[in-house]
Amino acid sequence: MLNEESKIGALIDRLANRAIWKLARARRRLETDVPLVSFTFDDVPDSALHDGAAILEKHGARGTFYIAGGLAGQVERDRTLITSEGCGELLARGHEIGCHTYSHRRIRDFGRLGGDLDRNADYLKSVGVSPPATNFAFPYNAAWPLARAELRRRYRTCRAGGEAINRGSVDPLMLRAVEIRQPEQDAWALTRWIDDVAAQPGWLIFFTHDIAPRPTPYGCTPKTFEHLVRYAVEKGCCVLPVDHALDRLNW
Ligand SMILES: [Zn+2]
Protein backbone atom coordinates (compact mmCIF):
# COMPACT_ATOMS: atom_id res chain seq x y z
CA MET A 1 0.00 0.00 0.00
CA LEU A 2 2.77 2.34 0.95
CA ASN A 3 4.53 1.47 -2.26
CA GLU A 4 1.38 2.26 -4.26
CA GLU A 5 1.03 5.55 -2.46
CA SER A 6 4.59 6.53 -3.18
CA LYS A 7 4.14 5.57 -6.84
CA ILE A 8 1.05 7.76 -7.06
CA GLY A 9 2.93 10.54 -5.27
CA ALA A 10 5.82 10.34 -7.74
CA LEU A 11 3.34 10.47 -10.61
CA ILE A 12 1.66 13.59 -9.17
CA ASP A 13 5.09 15.21 -8.80
CA ARG A 14 5.99 14.47 -12.41
CA LEU A 15 2.68 15.71 -13.77
CA ALA A 16 2.78 18.90 -11.70
CA ASN A 17 6.31 19.68 -12.86
CA ARG A 18 5.44 18.97 -16.48
CA ALA A 19 2.32 21.12 -16.32
CA ILE A 20 4.30 24.04 -14.93
CA TRP A 21 7.07 23.70 -17.51
CA LYS A 22 4.48 23.56 -20.28
CA LEU A 23 2.00 26.17 -19.15
CA ALA A 24 3.74 28.72 -16.94
CA ARG A 25 3.52 32.21 -18.32
CA ALA A 26 6.21 33.76 -16.15
CA ARG A 27 9.02 33.53 -18.68
CA ARG A 28 12.17 35.45 -19.25
CA ARG A 29 14.59 35.47 -22.15
CA LEU A 30 17.87 33.93 -21.21
CA GLU A 31 20.54 35.52 -23.35
CA THR A 32 24.22 34.96 -22.77
CA ASP A 33 27.30 34.84 -25.00
CA VAL A 34 29.26 33.07 -22.30
CA PRO A 35 28.27 29.58 -21.12
CA LEU A 36 27.15 29.75 -17.50
CA VAL A 37 27.49 26.83 -15.09
CA SER A 38 26.26 26.67 -11.49
CA PHE A 39 27.05 23.89 -9.04
CA THR A 40 24.33 23.57 -6.42
CA PHE A 41 23.88 21.35 -3.37
CA ASP A 42 20.67 20.37 -1.62
CA ASP A 43 20.03 19.65 2.08
CA VAL A 44 23.30 19.97 2.67
CA PRO A 45 25.57 17.09 3.84
CA ASP A 46 28.74 18.17 5.65
CA SER A 47 30.86 16.56 2.91
CA ALA A 48 29.49 19.14 0.48
CA LEU A 49 31.12 21.75 2.70
CA HIS A 50 34.36 19.89 3.40
CA ASP A 51 35.00 18.57 -0.10
CA GLY A 52 32.50 20.21 -2.44
CA ALA A 53 33.06 23.83 -1.40
CA ALA A 54 36.84 23.32 -1.13
CA ILE A 55 37.03 21.94 -4.69
CA LEU A 56 35.04 24.86 -6.08
CA GLU A 57 37.28 27.32 -4.24
CA LYS A 58 40.42 25.61 -5.56
CA HIS A 59 39.19 26.46 -9.06
CA GLY A 60 38.27 30.02 -8.16
CA ALA A 61 34.56 29.27 -8.11
CA ARG A 62 31.72 29.34 -5.58
CA GLY A 63 28.51 27.33 -5.29
CA THR A 64 24.92 27.61 -4.10
CA PHE A 65 23.90 25.55 -1.06
CA TYR A 66 20.16 25.12 -0.51
CA ILE A 67 19.69 24.65 3.21
CA ALA A 68 16.71 23.22 5.10
CA GLY A 69 17.13 24.40 8.70
CA GLY A 70 15.15 21.47 10.06
CA LEU A 71 17.88 19.09 8.88
CA ALA A 72 20.72 20.97 10.60
CA GLY A 73 23.18 18.63 12.30
CA GLN A 74 21.02 15.58 11.60
CA VAL A 75 22.95 12.32 11.59
CA GLU A 76 21.64 9.79 9.10
CA ARG A 77 22.83 6.30 8.26
CA ASP A 78 25.09 7.40 5.42
CA ARG A 79 25.49 11.16 5.84
CA THR A 80 25.51 13.98 8.38
CA LEU A 81 23.91 17.31 7.57
CA ILE A 82 25.80 20.53 8.20
CA THR A 83 25.25 22.45 11.41
CA SER A 84 24.58 26.15 11.72
CA GLU A 85 28.35 26.65 12.11
CA GLY A 86 28.95 24.86 8.82
CA CYS A 87 26.36 27.00 7.17
CA GLY A 88 28.05 30.14 8.53
CA GLU A 89 31.37 28.89 7.20
CA LEU A 90 30.00 28.50 3.69
CA LEU A 91 28.72 32.03 3.85
CA ALA A 92 32.04 33.39 5.15
CA ARG A 93 33.85 31.65 2.30
CA GLY A 94 31.75 33.43 -0.29
CA HIS A 95 29.22 30.75 -1.19
CA GLU A 96 25.54 31.45 -1.64
CA ILE A 97 23.01 30.07 0.82
CA GLY A 98 19.62 29.31 -0.69
CA CYS A 99 16.37 28.13 0.86
CA HIS A 100 15.15 24.52 0.68
CA THR A 101 12.17 24.94 3.08
CA TYR A 102 12.67 24.43 6.83
CA SER A 103 11.04 21.04 7.28
CA HIS A 104 12.09 19.54 3.93
CA ARG A 105 8.73 18.33 2.74
CA ARG A 106 7.11 18.38 -0.66
CA ILE A 107 5.68 21.82 -1.39
CA ARG A 108 2.21 20.41 -2.07
CA ASP A 109 2.09 18.90 1.44
CA PHE A 110 2.29 22.23 3.27
CA GLY A 111 -0.85 23.65 4.79
CA ARG A 112 0.86 26.97 5.27
CA LEU A 113 4.00 27.19 3.20
CA GLY A 114 4.70 30.79 4.20
CA GLY A 115 5.11 29.87 7.87
CA ASP A 116 7.70 27.22 7.04
CA LEU A 117 9.59 29.57 4.73
CA ASP A 118 9.59 32.25 7.47
CA ARG A 119 10.98 29.68 9.87
CA ASN A 120 13.81 28.84 7.51
CA ALA A 121 14.51 32.53 6.95
CA ASP A 122 14.79 32.92 10.77
CA TYR A 123 17.15 29.96 10.94
CA LEU A 124 19.30 31.30 8.11
CA LYS A 125 19.29 34.75 9.68
CA SER A 126 20.71 33.21 12.85
CA VAL A 127 23.70 31.97 10.84
CA GLY A 128 24.19 35.33 9.12
CA VAL A 129 22.06 35.13 5.98
CA SER A 130 20.68 38.64 5.93
CA PRO A 131 18.98 39.88 3.78
CA PRO A 132 17.03 36.63 3.39
CA ALA A 133 17.99 34.00 0.80
CA THR A 134 16.86 34.98 -2.68
CA ASN A 135 16.92 31.58 -4.35
CA PHE A 136 15.01 28.41 -3.58
CA ALA A 137 15.21 24.72 -4.51
CA PHE A 138 12.20 22.41 -4.28
CA PRO A 139 12.57 19.48 -1.87
CA TYR A 140 12.54 16.33 -4.01
CA ASN A 141 12.49 18.69 -7.02
CA ALA A 142 8.71 18.61 -6.72
CA ALA A 143 7.02 21.89 -7.60
CA TRP A 144 3.36 22.75 -7.10
CA PRO A 145 1.30 25.24 -9.15
CA LEU A 146 -0.56 26.65 -6.13
CA ALA A 147 2.70 27.57 -4.39
CA ARG A 148 3.94 29.82 -7.15
CA ALA A 149 2.49 33.08 -5.86
CA GLU A 150 4.10 32.62 -2.44
CA LEU A 151 7.44 31.63 -3.98
CA ARG A 152 7.36 34.53 -6.45
CA ARG A 153 6.91 36.99 -3.60
CA ARG A 154 10.04 35.73 -1.88
CA TYR A 155 12.59 34.47 -4.39
CA ARG A 156 14.32 35.43 -7.62
CA THR A 157 14.37 31.80 -8.72
CA CYS A 158 13.24 28.32 -7.82
CA ARG A 159 15.19 25.29 -8.99
CA ALA A 160 13.75 21.91 -9.87
CA GLY A 161 15.34 18.98 -11.75
CA GLY A 162 14.41 18.32 -15.36
CA GLU A 163 17.78 17.26 -16.80
CA ALA A 164 18.16 20.14 -19.25
CA ILE A 165 20.10 23.34 -19.87
CA ASN A 166 18.23 26.61 -19.34
CA ARG A 167 18.08 28.39 -22.67
CA GLY A 168 15.79 30.73 -24.57
CA SER A 169 12.45 31.25 -22.83
CA VAL A 170 12.88 30.25 -19.20
CA ASP A 171 10.58 30.24 -16.18
CA PRO A 172 12.66 31.60 -13.26
CA LEU A 173 10.34 29.83 -10.81
CA MET A 174 11.13 26.51 -12.45
CA LEU A 175 14.81 26.43 -13.37
CA ARG A 176 16.01 23.15 -14.79
CA ALA A 177 19.01 21.30 -13.46
CA VAL A 178 21.10 18.21 -14.14
CA GLU A 179 21.75 15.79 -11.30
CA ILE A 180 25.21 14.59 -10.30
CA ARG A 181 24.55 11.17 -8.78
CA GLN A 182 25.58 7.53 -8.84
CA PRO A 183 26.69 5.46 -10.63
CA GLU A 184 30.08 7.10 -10.63
CA GLN A 185 30.82 6.50 -14.31
CA ASP A 186 27.59 8.29 -15.23
CA ALA A 187 28.56 11.24 -13.03
CA TRP A 188 32.00 11.29 -14.66
CA ALA A 189 30.37 11.42 -18.12
CA LEU A 190 28.31 14.52 -17.26
CA THR A 191 31.03 16.52 -19.03
CA ARG A 192 28.81 16.03 -22.10
CA TRP A 193 26.45 18.63 -20.63
CA ILE A 194 29.38 21.03 -20.28
CA ASP A 195 30.33 20.40 -23.93
CA ASP A 196 26.72 21.12 -24.85
CA VAL A 197 26.50 24.44 -22.99
CA ALA A 198 29.95 25.48 -24.25
CA ALA A 199 28.87 24.83 -27.86
CA GLN A 200 25.58 26.69 -27.47
CA PRO A 201 25.68 29.05 -24.50
CA GLY A 202 22.94 28.89 -21.92
CA TRP A 203 22.83 28.24 -18.20
CA LEU A 204 23.68 24.74 -17.00
CA ILE A 205 22.82 24.13 -13.36
CA PHE A 206 24.09 21.00 -11.68
CA PHE A 207 22.70 19.72 -8.40
CA THR A 208 23.95 17.09 -6.04
CA HIS A 209 24.16 16.23 -2.33
CA ASP A 210 27.22 14.63 -0.74
CA ILE A 211 30.78 14.69 -2.10
CA ALA A 212 32.35 11.71 -0.41
CA PRO A 213 34.75 8.84 -1.13
CA ARG A 214 31.81 6.47 -0.61
CA PRO A 215 28.91 8.62 -1.74
CA THR A 216 25.20 7.99 -1.25
CA PRO A 217 23.24 7.31 -4.47
CA TYR A 218 22.60 11.08 -4.59
CA GLY A 219 26.19 12.30 -4.62
CA CYS A 220 29.58 11.58 -6.11
CA THR A 221 33.24 11.27 -5.13
CA PRO A 222 35.54 14.27 -4.71
CA LYS A 223 37.52 13.03 -7.74
CA THR A 224 34.50 13.12 -10.04
CA PHE A 225 33.27 16.42 -8.67
CA GLU A 226 36.66 18.01 -9.27
CA HIS A 227 36.73 16.52 -12.78
CA LEU A 228 33.46 18.32 -13.59
CA VAL A 229 34.46 21.64 -12.04
CA ARG A 230 37.85 21.64 -13.75
CA TYR A 231 36.28 20.70 -17.08
CA ALA A 232 33.78 23.56 -16.87
CA VAL A 233 36.52 26.07 -16.10
CA GLU A 234 38.81 24.74 -18.85
CA LYS A 235 35.98 24.89 -21.38
CA GLY A 236 35.66 28.62 -20.71
CA CYS A 237 32.41 28.43 -18.74
CA CYS A 238 31.67 31.08 -16.18
CA VAL A 239 31.11 29.10 -12.97
CA LEU A 240 28.89 31.16 -10.68
CA PRO A 241 26.49 30.78 -7.75
CA VAL A 242 22.87 31.11 -8.86
CA ASP A 243 22.48 34.65 -7.56
CA HIS A 244 25.57 35.88 -9.43
CA ALA A 245 24.44 34.17 -12.62
CA LEU A 246 21.14 36.06 -12.33
CA ASP A 247 23.00 39.36 -12.02
CA ARG A 248 25.04 38.46 -15.07
CA LEU A 249 21.82 37.73 -16.99
CA ASN A 250 20.35 41.05 -15.84
CA TRP A 251 17.29 39.26 -14.50
ZN1 LIG B 1 16.47 18.07 -0.43
Side-chain angles (χ1 to χ4, degrees):
M1 186 64 193
L2 235 186
N3 197 22
E4 280 304 305
E5 274 175 27
S6 69
K7 270 191 208 159
I8 292 167
L11 179 65
I12 292 170
D13 291 344
R14 270 204 306 282
L15 292 175
N17 280 14
R18 257 188 241 164
I20 295 170
W21 269 315
K22 210 171 161 60
L23 303 173
R25 291 203 208 117
R27 303 223 164 235
R28 300 204 62 153
R29 287 300 302 174
L30 193 156
E31 280 162 10
T32 177
D33 296 333
V34 180
L36 304 177
V37 176
S38 297
F39 288 93
T40 71
F41 300 83
D42 290 2
D43 294 353
V44 165
D46 59 0
S47 64
L49 160 65
H50 298 135
D51 283 300
I55 288 166
L56 284 166
E57 290 160 20
K58 188 174 152 192
H59 293 275
R62 297 293 184 275
T64 297
F65 294 75
Y66 294 102
I67 304 268
L71 299 179
Q74 190 167 294
V75 179
E76 299 174 356
R77 190 174 53 79
D78 48 6
R79 62 177 197 170
T80 299
L81 286 304
I82 62 168
T83 58
S84 54
E85 289 78 20
C87 193
E89 198 179 327
L90 283 170
L91 199 60
R93 284 157 58 174
H95 297 277
E96 178 188 5
I97 303 295
C99 176
H100 195 43
T101 72
Y102 182 84
S103 53
H104 199 267
R105 284 184 289 146
R106 279 176 170 71
I107 291 295
R108 64 180 158 85
D109 290 340
F110 283 99
R112 217 185 128 250
L113 177 61
D116 182 89
L117 298 176
D118 284 343
R119 194 171 176 197
N120 208 42
D122 287 345
Y123 170 74
L124 293 177
K125 191 176 177 188
S126 75
V127 305
V129 182
S130 181
T134 47
N135 295 294
F136 177 88
F138 296 102
Y140 310 102
N141 288 319
W144 191 239
L146 300 180
R148 285 169 66 84
E150 181 72 55
L151 295 168
R152 185 182 294 116
R153 266 197 296 279
R154 293 170 182 259
Y155 307 111
R156 296 177 85 184
T157 67
C158 299
R159 197 220 73 219
E163 303 294 303
I165 293 170
N166 299 284
R167 284 198 185 100
S169 175
V170 170
D171 178 1
L173 296 179
M174 200 64 184
L175 292 178
R176 294 174 189 265
V178 172
E179 184 170 19
I180 304 172
R181 59 168 291 155
Q182 294 301 290
E184 196 68 11
Q185 63 269 26
D186 290 7
W188 186 268
L190 292 175
T191 46
R192 72 179 186 283
W193 287 100
I194 298 169
D195 288 330
D196 187 335
V197 78
Q200 189 194 340
W203 184 14
L204 169 60
I205 303 173
F206 283 115
F207 76 97
T208 191
H209 295 80
D210 53 308
I211 305 294
R214 284 168 58 200
T216 68
Y218 314 104
C220 75
T221 64
K223 187 178 172 199
T224 293
F225 187 67
E226 178 151 27
H227 165 68
L228 296 174
V229 174
R230 184 190 292 119
Y231 196 84
V233 171
E234 284 174 2
K235 277 278 168 177
C237 300
C238 209
V239 180
L240 296 170
V242 168
D243 214 48
H244 292 199
L246 294 172
D247 291 343
R248 177 133 189 161
L249 291 167
N250 283 321
W251 277 14

